[in-house]
Amino acid sequence: MSFRRLKAISHKELLHIIRDSRSLALAMALPFLMLVLFGYALSLDVDHIPTMVYDRDNTPESRDLVRQFGGSQYFNIVGYADKATDIDRAIDRSKILVGLQINENFGKDFRAGRSVNVQILLDGSDSNTASIALGYTDALIQSYSLRLRSEAQIRRGGGELKNPIDLRTRFWYNTNLKSRNYIVPGLIAVILMIIASLLTSLTIAREWETGTMEQLLSTPVRPAELVLGKLSAYFALGMTDMVICLIVSVGIFGVPLRGNILLLFFSCFVFLFGALCWGIMISASTRSQLMAYQMGILSSFLPSFLLSGFIYSIQNMPVAIQLFTYLVPARYFITLLRGIFLKGAGVRILIVELTFLCVYAAVVFVIASRKARQKIA
């Protein structure tokens, strides 16, 4: 391998990137735009659920129950219904997610020591959100019922009624349960995969379409030199985007970085190298930029977004899809990022994921070099 030829190809590709100012500006702005958009707009937190109340009893006891919902951070009372159809109409128009209906004689039955009924209506269109809202509702009702039974027993001269199990919950790694801390590290993997695969997937295909590939054929350049030379310029661009992502994640969104920053950059180095080689392999497999772009989307962005555990839990997928996700490198890189950012995990814990990325990068580099050799030949 000649360092001189490698440097020449790298310099040529770097000049092409610099002269294409629009693509360069997009590549530099894309990480910031995606982080801001996803970090602020995409939230998995379920709180301030729009709720409508239909209180048919309107007694101090029923109003106390309504105050429990209004005082909770998980519910936001947006209106009061005059009849039951108002709740149905509000759910149909997606104005509310939860409807609370308190029947007549609620206070009378409660004072008499009889069981009382409360109806909860939920919009099940979004099954996941509705299930979470139902859990919040059930927990609030159970806590409220326990407090009422305890107060009633005290009035009858008995002791305070206590819960037989004292549950004390402690959250590790993400104490405030902010979904942003979970989303942003995974988004870094998606951003790097998009930039690496999509940009490099057009390089060799562009050479064929513009007719400059024939000039490379007449030079003594080797396939490995061609691959490394072309991806070196994009590697510098990708690492610059990584630094931008790191600054935005920690500086703007406040995502904790508890792990070793050297391990973080080494992981990014390996993943980015593999993603760039994947783009070169796609570009060497086709002479059409349009086909290369489509293959880059299908083989990089979509698997990284849908099958890596970025948002959707892999454990909830069908078994066949779960097995397929082991072939998605972004799955391992996202595990590395979240482990380093949130858990402060080291090499001993993340060695399996790191080893897979190293093997993936080496295998894809070899395949890309062979594809380039086939085209040159």
Side-chain angles (χ1 to χ4, degrees), residues 50 56 67 95 97 118 126 163 211 214 218 225 255 266 339 362:
R56 300 177 59 189
R67 281 194 295 270
K95 292 183 177 180
L97 181 66
V118 175
D126 184 352
N163 217 337
E214 287 77 3
S218 62
E225 296 168 352
V255 179
F266 178 75

Side-chain angles (χ1 to χ4, degrees), residues 102-118 141 145 148-149:
I102 303 175
N103 298 324
E104 296 177 350
N105 301 322
F106 176 88
K108 180 180 178 181
D109 292 340
F110 169 75
R111 290 189 296 271
R114 294 189 292 267
S115 298
V116 294
N117 295 323
V118 175
I141 294 294
S145 299
L148 293 182
R149 288 199 301 267

Side-chain angles (χ1 to χ4, degrees), residues 2 11 15 18-19 22 33 85 95 113 136 167 179 206 228 232 250 270-271 289 351:
S2 172
H11 181 68
L15 289 178
I18 295 175
R19 289 169 181 172
R22 288 178 295 181
L33 292 177
T85 55
K95 292 183 177 180
Y136 291 158
L167 178 63
S179 61
R206 183 176 58 244
L228 291 176
S232 59
V250 178
V270 176
F271 176 77
Q289 292 190 68
I351 186 63

Side-chain angles (χ1 to χ4, degrees), residues 139-151:
L140 188 147
I141 294 294
Q142 294 297 330
S143 177
Y144 179 68
S145 299
L146 179 62
R147 182 171 66 85
L148 293 182
R149 288 199 301 267
S150 179
E151 292 176 354

